[in-house]
Amino acid sequence: MNIFIAGATGRVAQFLIEELVDKGHQVTAGARNPERIDVKEGVRPLPLDLHAGVEDLSQLLQGQEAVYFVAGSRGKDLLQTDAFGAVKMMQAAELVGIKRFVLLSSIFATEPERWSDPNLVSIMDYNIAKFFADNWLIHNTKLDYTILQPGNLVEAETASGKIAIHVKQSQPNSIPNVAATLAAILESSNTYQKIIQMSDGDVPIELAIQNV
Ligand SMILES: NC(=O)c1ccc[n+]([C@@H]2O[C@H](COP(=O)([O-])OP(=O)(O)OC[C@H]3O[C@@H](n4cnc5c(N)ncnc54)[C@H](OP(=O)(O)O)[C@@H]3O)[C@@H](O)[C@H]2O)c1
């Protein structure tokens, strides 16, 4: 597939690009600083600023078949990037007829009653931004979406390849495992219109995804 990644210089995106290229996909890597993307077969860097309007964003999506939104502002630009940047990418995708949209969100972002948990209370504004984007995708689009909600991300060199889904508590997620899960979701139609709450675990990713 031709796949667009928004936020392609990010930590998750770097692993996601590898996963998708390994599976034979063509990746367009949208980034504010596309010169930071490793140019190689199957990867085309493209300038992307999520402050742009929907019309301009839709131009970047011409010829694409799926969009991943894995961008984020680390709390510095929550409204324009994490919230409305995501919404505009959804609108842009619909404008050019793309159906598949995978949104990287955060654990319990759609469950405000959980936001006073000790490990979430300090990221309330972030969760509000994610709540807005997640709910827009669910209620205001006709996209074949999947929303992945991991707990805190931790760096690792390789994916263990084993995760847990339907988690009840926020637990650590290695970045390579999150990227591998995002890649596994892409063509799994059983994940359409679903929120997947995940952490590292002991079930092989492909098997876990079958049970979503
Ligand atoms: N950190 C956690 O524990 C955690 C837990 C659960 C979910 N998440 C979610 O996972 C996402 C990805 O995590 P990560 O660690 O890979 O993030 P990251 O390394 O901070 O990457 C974020 C990406 O977004 C891009 N970006 C920011 N503002 C932009 C804009 N206005 N236009 C275009 N691109 C923009 C950044 O580009 P620049 O390099 O140009 O800034 C960067 O490529 C986070 O944003 C968060 O929503 C994080």
Side-chain angles (χ1 to χ4, degrees):
M1 291 173 80
N2 291 328
I3 299 168
F4 188 92
I5 298 183
T9 50
R11 296 183 304 169
V12 173
Q14 296 295 298
F15 283 94
L16 177 59
I17 291 170
E18 294 293 326
E19 292 276 350
L20 294 173
V21 169
D22 284 352
K23 289 178 191 284
H25 299 295
Q26 297 291 319
V27 174
T28 299
R32 281 194 293 198
N33 299 289
E35 69 283 357
R36 285 205 228 136
I37 306 284
D38 266 353
V39 182
K40 59 179 177 181
E41 190 164 348
V43 182
R44 181 174 68 113
L46 202 66
L48 164 76
D49 188 344
L50 290 162
H51 286 202
V54 175
E55 190 68 45
D56 287 343
L57 293 173
S58 73
Q59 295 304 315
L60 304 179
L61 297 183
Q62 297 289 348
Q64 302 296 327
E65 298 167 281
V67 175
Y68 280 95
F69 186 94
V70 294
S73 69
R74 299 190 176 201
K76 295 189 191 117
D77 188 32
L78 289 171
L79 289 179
Q80 291 209 54
T81 295
D82 304 63
F84 202 45
V87 168
K88 287 184 293 184
M89 287 303 297
M90 297 166 203
Q91 294 174 323
E94 291 204 295
L95 210 55
V96 296
I98 296 170
K99 289 295 287 178
R100 187 74 177 116
F101 197 102
V102 181
L103 177 63
L104 178 56
S105 180
S106 187
I107 194 82
F108 307 136
T110 40
E111 297 177 36
E113 63 278 11
R114 302 292 305 261
W115 297 351
S116 50
D117 286 5
N119 56 341
L120 296 180
V121 73
S122 64
I123 56 167
M124 183 85 73
D125 287 355
Y126 168 74
N127 270 322
I128 292 169
K130 287 304 214 183
F131 178 86
F132 182 80
D134 290 13
N135 275 290
W136 187 280
L137 186 53
I138 295 165
H139 298 295
N140 295 94
T141 77
K142 294 190 166 51
L143 293 161
D144 292 333
Y145 68 81
T146 306
I147 298 172
L148 188 67
Q149 295 186 341
N152 64 310
L153 303 182
V154 292
E155 302 205 358
E157 287 187 6
T158 55
S160 71
K162 293 185 176 175
I163 62 170
I165 60 168
H166 308 307
V167 298
K168 302 286 175 239
Q169 299 293 328
S170 178
Q171 299 284 348
N173 295 256
S174 85
I175 288 173
N177 268 351
V178 170
T181 305
L182 286 167
I185 284 168
L186 179 68
E187 295 177 283
S188 303
S189 56
N190 66 310
T191 70
Y192 290 6
Q193 326 313 118
K194 299 262 174 70
I195 295 173
I196 303 171
Q197 295 171 327
M198 70 167 284
S199 71
D200 289 343
D202 53 19
V203 180
I205 290 171
E206 296 291 342
L207 187 59
I209 293 305
Q210 283 170 23
N211 293 326
V212 163

